[in-house]
Amino acid sequence: MRKYSLIFLFLIFGFVLSLSSGTAESQDIPGLLKRLENYVVHIETLGGLDQIDGREAIRQTTGVFCDKEGYLVSSAAGFAHKPTEIFVTLQDNRRMEANLVATDANRNLVLLKIKDQGFRCSVPNFVDSNNLRVGQPVAAVGRALDAKNMTVSMGIVSSPNAITGLAVQTDARVSALNYGGPLIDAGGGIVGILTPLTVERTSALDGANLADSGVAFAATLKDLRTLFPKLKAGGAFPVTKKLGIVYDTPNYLLSGTRVQFAASVSPAGRKGIKRGDVIVKVNDRDVKRAWEIENEAAKLLTGDEIKLTIQRDGQTLNVSIVL
Amino acid sequence: MKTNVLLFFLCVLTLPVIPVGSQAAFGQEEDPVPVEFGEILKTPQRGLIESVQTRMVKVYGASGFVGITAWQTGFLVSTDGQIVTSFTAAIDTQDLQVVLNDGSRYTAKLKNADPVTEVALLQIVKPQQFQSGADEAENGQNGQNGKNEKTDKNSKNGKNQPDAADSDAAPEFKTPAWDLPEQAKLQQRTHNRTMAGTPIYSITNEFGMATGNEPCAVDAGIISADLDLAQASASFAYRYRSKIYLVDAITSNPCQPGGAVIHARDGRLLGMVAKPAVDPGTGRTLYCVLPIEALDKCVKTLQEGEITISRDRSAPAKAWSEERLGLVLFPRIVDKTPAYAESVVRGSEAEKIGIQANDLILYVNGRLVQSADDVRAELEFTDQADPISVTVERNNEILELPVKAEPEEGEKK
């Protein structure tokens, strides 16, 4: 009897506790910000250029932890001035020095690492941006202005697959106040890292003039698992080259994996891709439309290999192309 | 066994108490319903915006200077025609015209202004018929519209408005107005909670587009953050030194300062659109709103006729300097000479703080210093009576030097 009543007691307490925690975990913005506060950090930079292409250097920015060993992802916009020193302020006011490990010009992101080798952190929840729907509310979060306060901007998903599938487009206000910060969904999951982007991506600040225009991007991290080890090894990755194929189609979005032309100097042309070839698979994934091929190539880094399976004169060939 | 039964009863008793208790606290201190993600995308309650519009005022000030906008927004804060607006060059004039929501036009005078919060208090002087020369045609139209509106709208505001046509009589001049102390009290319920994420509407006369009885423009957004700009890391010389709201709604267009910011759910006044500020660290324009508590306090002072003393972040009476601190910085060779300490005078304050020769000074008073010049500037703004905090880099290590607690007696004098 004694045993049972004790168990009953615990059950009731557990029930009450779960009830109260259930209400506390509402999906309001202060609650979501609270959940992000250990992952989203304030970054300050010292030294470097004053101006880049006539634009003032962004000296304060935001970063998001992406690996428990102290790796952070941020926008390349905050590091375009090549700062000599990078300081990260954590939620508990600790100030750590960080190194720039790698730059991915393709997504306009940088990978940073806390210098202290013994440093460990927890990692937020990154969610697949493929599940986003146009019109779904999202929030852009930044911590550039102040180490103690995050800023938040509300918007909707304008396109889940913009810039050849590398970014989520949103109408939330994205600017130097939140470059490097996360774009979150209603559940607080991170769908991308806010960064200025354009199709050309000529510099890290390309697209920064779009702030407040209703056009903004968050580079998606859906390829993080494959991308991260390469970035961790370090280096500066330029914008990934195009395959260099012109497809025999009036509309890239609807059809056309038949090659009309491949320039001889392009990565595809050099590997012998020629007029009449039909691309059926990219990296062993079936493709039906030209944009699928291009998107698959765009998410790779310079130096990566892409495998095209083509049909030529009734034969199936595999061609590996280094981008 | 007995204790068990007792415990069990205790537990059963507390079961209903916990949720009820928390709910009671919930009702008193916080909003009844938490703000949903994306709530601002919903349609507002019927009549919410309309009721706010009746208190909005279009303010027309000095014009004639190229590039200076002569119009702005304001709102009524007393039934006898007191209006708050942003203190700008445009309203620092004898000839102020205000147009109420129903299109009635009055002369107003600048009653008082606070240079720190940049709030101005205007007073409607006397009801006046429409007759300013420049926009006669427009006014004629507005007068008509105003009448039409009144006949088909039986709002209580309409009743309160003096008729533009026989304004000379105006026996009972009464306008709809916000009761600032009451609005501030409403806000106090949430005073210890962040307002970030709160859905808002800003009601402003964007670009001066509304004239006569046309309503002000409404922008939807959220409160982006509530923070003290002066304490934010690199923010150096903000005028207003206490909590403000940054909003995620465009409020930096001409004519927007002085507009009202309301809670999108219940329409309560959250603050006044302030002049935008530029953050030096990110180069970004910040859309600032003066919170209702500060606005209420400020307006009270202005109504009493006292102009608050400027609390500008001007140089203090006895500021620190390199020499006074006993710190010798690396000579200024280029604009951005790094802030290395070349030497530290023995027995000086710098030595007591713990600065050593060859230290690279990174932060002074929590602000990142980009160069030796930044250190000098920061010292100039720090009174010798105040503690000074320094963070340095020494042998590739970041050291936060302990803050000097009490200034010495000799220095105070």
Side-chain angles (χ1 to χ4, degrees):
Chain A
M1 183 61 201
R2 192 190 177 90
K3 236 187 206 169
Y4 286 123
S5 56
L6 262 174
I7 289 169
F8 194 44
L9 252 170
F10 276 120
L11 270 175
I12 288 176
F13 268 118
F15 180 64
V16 170
L17 272 176
S18 69
L19 261 183
S20 53
S21 67
T23 48
E25 215 182 303
S26 60
Q27 301 297 309
D28 65 344
I29 289 171
L32 292 179
L33 293 184
K34 187 106 190 100
R35 275 162 59 183
L36 286 172
E37 67 186 14
N38 288 323
Y39 313 124
V40 179
V41 296
H42 177 66
I43 299 176
E44 288 163 298
T45 56
L46 196 67
L49 305 168
D50 282 342
Q51 287 194 327
I52 313 108
D53 305 331
R55 197 182 276 277
E56 278 299 309
I58 300 168
R59 299 196 173 277
Q60 282 171 248
T61 188
T62 312
V64 179
F65 279 115
C66 64
D67 181 275
K68 62 180 191 313
E69 286 180 348
Y71 283 95
L72 293 145
V73 63
S74 180
S75 165
F79 302 88
H81 60 296
K82 299 188 173 65
T84 49
E85 272 162 284
I86 301 165
F87 301 107
V88 173
T89 310
L90 307 179
Q91 172 66 21
D92 58 9
N93 270 331
R94 261 187 304 161
R95 226 169 242 145
M96 316 287 283
E97 226 178 319
N99 282 334
L100 187 90
V101 178
T103 315
D104 174 11
N106 218 22
R107 293 165 183 80
N108 206 24
L109 296 180
V110 291
L111 187 70
L112 309 172
K113 188 181 186 304
I114 301 284
K115 269 189 186 170
D116 181 357
Q117 291 298 328
F119 180 81
R120 290 292 176 274
C121 59
S122 47
V123 180
N125 180 26
F126 292 98
V127 297
D128 190 351
S129 56
N130 279 329
N131 300 331
L132 292 175
R133 293 209 325 259
V134 175
Q136 175 183 337
V138 282
V141 178
R143 208 171 190 169
L145 184 64
D146 184 10
K148 292 177 203 78
N149 290 284
M150 288 186 242
T151 55
V152 55
S153 168
M154 233 24 246
I156 59 162
V157 173
S158 309
S159 162
N161 276 305
I163 317 273
T164 53
L166 292 175
V168 178
Q169 191 183 327
T170 174
D171 71 343
R173 274 166 266 271
V174 176
S175 69
L177 277 188
N178 50 21
Y179 288 151
L183 183 73
I184 58 169
D185 64 8
I190 298 176
V191 299
I193 300 296
L194 303 161
T195 184
L197 277 174
T198 59
V199 176
E200 297 82 16
R201 280 160 279 165
T202 49
S203 85
L205 287 172
D206 211 5
N209 55 347
L210 289 176
D212 280 355
S213 70
V215 178
F217 300 98
T220 64
L221 297 170
K222 54 189 172 195
D223 314 310
L224 193 70
R225 212 163 289 161
T226 52
L227 188 70
F228 190 55
K230 290 175 211 159
L231 291 179
K232 234 171 155 176
F237 297 92
V239 178
T240 313
K241 275 183 235 133
K242 299 246 177 220
L243 282 167
I245 300 172
V246 179
Y247 301 90
D248 188 9
T249 172
N251 191 335
Y252 273 46
L253 299 175
L254 296 179
S255 64
T257 62
R258 182 186 296 275
V259 177
Q260 189 181 45
F261 176 74
S264 57
V265 293
S266 70
R270 258 180 287 164
K271 282 287 183 176
I273 302 283
K274 58 183 188 185
R275 188 190 177 98
D277 291 350
V278 177
I279 299 164
V280 289
K281 279 182 186 176
V282 175
N283 285 345
D284 297 323
R285 273 182 50 192
D286 290 337
V287 286
K288 299 233 157 28
R289 305 165 194 89
W291 69 265
E292 290 174 333
I293 304 167
E294 292 299 318
N295 280 11
E296 204 62 39
K299 64 186 190 195
L300 299 173
L301 292 175
T302 297
D304 281 356
E305 220 173 42
I306 185 167
K307 192 171 114 191
L308 299 186
T309 308
I310 59 168
Q311 282 183 338
R312 182 186 293 167
D313 310 325
Q315 281 182 312
T316 305
L317 301 169
N318 280 328
V319 183
S320 282
I321 297 169
V322 177
L323 289 171
Chain B
M1 189 63 212
K2 255 184 187 172
T3 48
N4 257 334
V5 173
L6 249 170
L7 264 171
F8 176 73
F9 270 100
L10 250 171
C11 177
V12 169
L13 275 171
T14 48
L15 184 65
V17 171
I18 293 167
V20 166
S22 64
Q23 229 166 35
F26 204 59
Q28 272 168 11
E29 283 167 11
E30 298 185 22
D31 280 344
V33 195
V35 175
E36 260 177 68
F37 197 82
E39 180 170 321
I40 192 59
L41 304 172
K42 289 182 184 164
T43 312
Q45 226 176 76
R46 192 174 291 275
L48 183 120
I49 304 277
E50 288 78 355
S51 74
V52 172
Q53 288 283 11
T54 61
R55 301 166 192 141
M56 299 307 299
V57 177
K58 299 153 203 112
V59 180
Y60 300 86
S63 58
F65 293 107
V66 179
I68 292 181
T69 313
W71 327 285
Q72 60 191 56
T73 318
F75 50 87
L76 288 152
V77 293
S78 77
T79 50
D80 66 346
Q82 284 186 355
I83 296 162
V84 297
T85 184
S86 177
F87 185 44
T88 63
I91 61 158
D92 200 1
T93 166
Q94 296 299 311
D95 184 33
L96 275 174
Q97 300 281 313
V98 295
V99 177
L100 306 194
N101 183 58
D102 64 353
S104 53
R105 175 182 291 244
Y106 303 100
T107 303
K109 70 172 191 348
L110 178 63
K111 200 171 175 230
N112 209 343
D114 178 3
V116 178
T117 51
E118 299 187 315
V119 173
L121 188 68
L122 313 182
Q123 170 74 58
I124 291 179
V125 179
K126 61 167 199 271
Q128 171 199 295
Q129 270 183 299
F130 307 127
Q131 48 187 255
S132 99
D135 24 33
E136 241 172 351
E138 174 208 296
N139 286 337
Q141 231 179 12
N142 292 335
Q144 264 179 8
N145 287 348
K147 271 182 193 167
N148 289 346
E149 193 192 46
K150 250 177 92 173
T151 47
D152 55 39
K153 204 171 111 187
N154 58 352
S155 70
K156 66 167 193 241
N157 315 306
K159 265 188 269 171
N160 287 342
Q161 290 299 334
D163 197 335
D166 49 36
S167 57
D168 285 337
E172 256 189 277
F173 175 73
K174 235 180 155 204
T175 59
W178 259 301
D179 182 352
L180 289 187
E182 195 191 297
Q183 297 293 324
K185 214 181 279 169
L186 282 176
Q187 187 52 29
Q188 267 174 8
R189 292 187 309 178
T190 55
H191 77 284
N192 49 8
R193 209 175 54 121
T194 175
M195 291 294 286
T198 306
I200 53 155
Y201 292 116
S202 78
I203 324 278
T204 62
N205 190 11
E206 235 168 311
F207 294 104
M209 290 216 272
T211 55
N213 69 343
E214 289 164 353
C216 289
V218 180
D219 289 68
I222 59 169
I223 291 180
S224 185
D226 42 3
L227 48 83
D228 185 341
L229 274 183
Q231 277 181 13
S233 311
S235 317
F236 189 58
Y238 287 109
R239 200 171 259 256
Y240 180 57
R241 301 196 78 192
S242 78
K243 196 182 83 170
I244 62 142
Y245 296 143
L246 295 187
V247 292
D248 178 38
I250 308 264
T251 60
S252 65
N253 291 330
C255 319
Q256 286 192 298
V261 171
I262 61 164
H263 198 298
R265 191 187 286 149
D266 53 20
R268 68 171 196 257
L269 187 65
L270 292 177
M272 185 192 83
V273 176
K275 279 185 239 170
V278 175
D279 174 54
T282 55
R284 169 73 184 172
T285 303
L286 305 173
Y287 305 134
C288 304
V289 168
L290 184 67
I292 177 71
E293 299 101 313
L295 179 68
D296 175 42
K297 221 161 108 191
C298 175
V299 168
K300 239 175 240 159
T301 329
L302 292 179
Q303 280 169 337
E304 283 159 12
E306 291 166 32
I307 294 178
T308 39
I309 309 144
S310 169
R311 279 168 288 142
D312 268 34
R313 198 166 187 238
S314 51
K318 201 180 177 195
W320 284 112
S321 68
E322 254 183 286
E323 294 79 30
R324 287 191 192 129
L325 202 61
L327 171 72
V328 183
L329 289 167
F330 202 69
R332 190 182 186 282
I333 305 166
V334 288
D335 280 355
K336 290 251 159 147
T337 305
Y340 278 106
E342 186 156 83
S343 62
V344 175
V345 176
R346 187 160 298 179
S348 70
E349 213 41 57
E351 196 187 59
K352 281 178 204 156
I353 291 170
I355 303 173
Q356 294 177 9
N358 294 325
D359 281 355
L360 175 63
I361 298 172
L362 297 176
Y363 290 85
V364 178
N365 293 337
R367 290 190 182 81
L368 184 66
V369 283
Q370 297 280 348
S371 63
D373 281 357
D374 279 5
V375 176
R376 291 184 188 103
E378 191 57 49
L379 290 179
E380 255 171 55
F381 277 108
T382 313
D383 199 295
Q384 291 197 14
D386 293 335
I388 185 165
S389 76
V390 178
T391 303
V392 298
E393 190 182 87
R394 187 183 300 159
N395 305 328
N396 283 326
E397 249 184 286
I398 302 179
L399 296 173
E400 253 171 74
L401 303 178
V403 177
K404 186 175 71 97
E406 276 287 309
E408 281 176 30
E409 282 302 302
E411 271 165 0
K412 256 184 183 169
K413 284 163 195 171

